[in-house]
Amino acid sequence: MFKFIRFRTIVLLAVTLFTLSACATAPPVKRRVFWPPLPDTPKIEWIGTYRSANDLSETETFLETIIGKDDAVSITKPLSIASNGTGKVYVSNPESADVHIFDFTAKTAYKLALNPISHLTGISLDGQGNIYVADSAYKKIHVVSPDNKPVKVLDFSDKMESIGMFAVDKINEHLIIPDLRKHKIIVTDLEGKFLFEFGKRGDGDGEFNLPLSIAVEYDGGIVVCDSLNSRIQRFTSKGVFVNKFGRRGDGPGDLSIIKGVAVDSEGHIYVTDGKESKVTIFSPTGEYLLMFGGKYSQQDDVTVSAGGFLIPQGIYIDKTDRIYVADQLNNRFQAFQYMNAKYIAKHPPNALKPRLIKDKPKAPKPK
């Protein structure tokens, strides 16, 4: 009798473990998140939030459910971000002075092979997939190959006092580098050879007050995040002023303390606002088009809803129109998709699609 009871107990335990394991590996079906929401025609879709390699998979084993996963590589207060457009995302961690590579194909995360860096700021990639990482303290840009090997170090200490979130012009093979302290833009070739510069401190056309970041348009045009002037300025690839737009405020289309800028394949300009914790989209002429995101925070290791930011910083849009935002004080980055014609054809907005949303909504902190 005892042997029969023990055998039955073992069988029941095995069945229970199998059932729990199956449940743990099957992600629930959740609604897709759009801006603007249906029934309007959506333009932006939320893809996911990522802090470590654990977030690259939507499934987990029963053992991982019980004891958790190992966060060997995780983000802390990211500043800048870039992507090669084929599955790898590069995220800066200024406090630890390193860059984390999130490989969505291999579903793993690891560190970029860098020489010691004192003050890590910008990240960008050239047309061959080389990764460029700025050390603002020493006015240098470190270059790492696509297979994660150090290549060279470019020294700008004789031309600059600081390096912000720079960009690579892949068409002309130029580096477009903002000097925050001198309030100007330096343009060099990919070997660091000086070509020209433009700008000075002020609020007139072609003048800057803390130009934090740069984006490059499809024709090589230069877009500058003129942070403390709360505006965007556009220039030709030669540094000739084109136009400016933006006004300080907290209403639709207004800007406050802006941090990053990016451009999608159709020329729309995306601006992160650190104070208002949102991303605002404009046409090249400055017409307000859409805003997504909002103020949410993270408390007691509980993450928050899709599109919730706490001081968004760098923003990068790859060749597929996938949008990556460094969500600084939430210690993560978020991915979105501009819903271009090709994406809509593959992912109709009214189609139900399984997606694991781990985030739980929280009320925003009162101002």
Side-chain angles (χ1 to χ4, degrees):
M1 182 66 178
F2 174 75
K3 290 182 179 180
F4 172 75
I5 294 174
R6 186 173 63 177
F7 174 76
R8 185 175 64 179
T9 302
I10 293 173
V11 170
L12 288 173
L13 180 59
V15 170
T16 301
L17 289 174
F18 177 80
T19 303
L20 288 173
S21 179
C23 293
T25 57
V29 175
K30 298 289 185 179
R31 66 182 179 91
R32 296 167 69 184
V33 181
F34 300 111
W35 290 267
L38 297 171
D40 292 336
T41 303
K43 299 297 183 181
I44 302 294
E45 180 171 7
W46 176 79
I47 302 300
T49 59
Y50 308 94
R51 182 179 304 163
S52 71
N54 298 336
D55 299 316
L56 299 180
S57 175
E58 294 187 344
T59 62
E60 59 185 12
T61 67
F62 170 70
L63 187 59
E64 289 170 340
T65 303
I66 298 299
I67 66 174
K69 298 182 181 180
D70 181 22
D71 283 333
V73 174
S74 59
I75 298 173
T76 305
K77 297 182 180 178
L79 177 65
S80 52
I81 191 164
S83 169
N84 66 357
T86 58
K88 289 184 179 179
V89 178
Y90 304 85
V91 189
S92 74
N93 282 266
E95 287 192 348
S96 56
D98 55 26
V99 173
H100 292 168
I101 303 172
F102 283 72
D103 189 331
F104 281 75
T105 302
K107 299 190 182 303
T108 187
Y110 52 96
K111 293 183 180 181
L112 189 68
L114 283 172
N115 294 318
I117 284 183
S118 178
H119 182 195
L120 191 156
T121 53
I123 305 173
S124 195
L125 288 87
D126 66 17
Q128 288 69 51
N130 296 303
I131 305 98
Y132 293 67
V133 181
D135 184 344
S136 185
Y138 289 95
K139 281 71 74 177
K140 294 180 179 181
I141 291 181
H142 298 247
V143 184
V144 180
S145 68
D147 58 352
N148 202 20
K149 296 179 181 178
V151 175
K152 57 190 173 184
V153 179
L154 309 177
D155 190 342
F156 300 99
S157 58
D158 62 336
K159 288 289 184 182
M160 309 186 71
E161 291 186 4
S162 63
I163 298 178
M165 286 186 276
F166 65 97
V168 174
D169 175 356
K170 297 177 183 178
I171 298 172
N172 298 301
E173 297 189 333
H174 289 169
L175 288 169
I176 319 294
I177 312 171
D179 187 332
L180 281 61
R181 292 181 181 176
K182 288 189 174 182
H183 308 278
K184 65 181 181 180
I185 310 300
I186 300 289
V187 180
T188 76
D189 65 15
L190 296 185
E191 296 300 321
K193 180 183 177 181
F194 176 81
L195 299 176
F196 62 92
E197 65 181 55
F198 60 96
K200 63 178 182 178
R201 186 165 193 170
D203 58 7
D205 294 352
E207 298 176 344
F208 307 110
N209 189 0
L210 202 70
L212 279 180
S213 60
I214 299 291
V216 178
E217 297 175 310
Y218 70 94
D219 60 354
I222 300 169
V223 184
V224 181
C225 176
D226 189 6
S227 182
L228 294 189
N229 281 329
S230 296
R231 67 184 183 181
I232 296 298
Q233 294 197 66
R234 297 175 62 236
F235 302 83
T236 69
S237 61
K238 301 296 184 182
V240 179
F241 176 79
V242 176
N243 69 325
K244 64 185 179 184
F245 56 86
R247 64 183 183 185
R248 191 180 302 276
D250 56 8
D254 291 343
L255 303 173
S256 185
I257 300 178
I258 55 178
K259 300 290 187 176
V261 63
V263 182
D264 68 22
S265 66
E266 297 178 9
H268 307 121
I269 296 171
Y270 298 63
V271 185
T272 59
D273 193 318
K275 182 178 179 181
E276 298 299 323
S277 292
K278 65 183 181 180
V279 178
T280 305
I281 308 175
F282 299 91
S283 73
T285 59
E287 178 189 3
Y288 167 64
L289 301 176
L290 182 66
M291 182 275 290
F292 66 92
K295 288 185 177 180
Y296 290 87
S297 62
Q298 175 188 338
Q299 296 177 347
D300 301 325
D301 295 325
V302 177
T303 53
V304 295
S305 65
F309 297 117
L310 192 58
I311 308 187
Q313 293 273 1
I315 180 171
Y316 190 92
I317 303 176
D318 68 20
K319 61 186 179 182
T320 70
D321 281 333
R322 184 61 53 90
I323 306 157
Y324 300 95
V325 181
D327 189 4
Q328 189 175 62
L329 293 191
N330 279 328
N331 299 310
R332 64 185 184 181
F333 71 90
Q334 296 196 56
F336 304 83
Q337 178 69 42
Y338 169 58
M339 301 180 70
N340 55 36
K342 184 177 180 180
Y343 182 82
I344 290 174
K346 290 185 176 180
H347 309 277
N350 57 352
L352 293 176
K353 178 183 178 182
R355 174 155 298 153
L356 179 64
I357 299 180
K358 299 179 180 179
D359 294 17
K360 298 178 181 179
K362 272 185 174 290
K365 288 183 176 180
K367 295 183 178 179

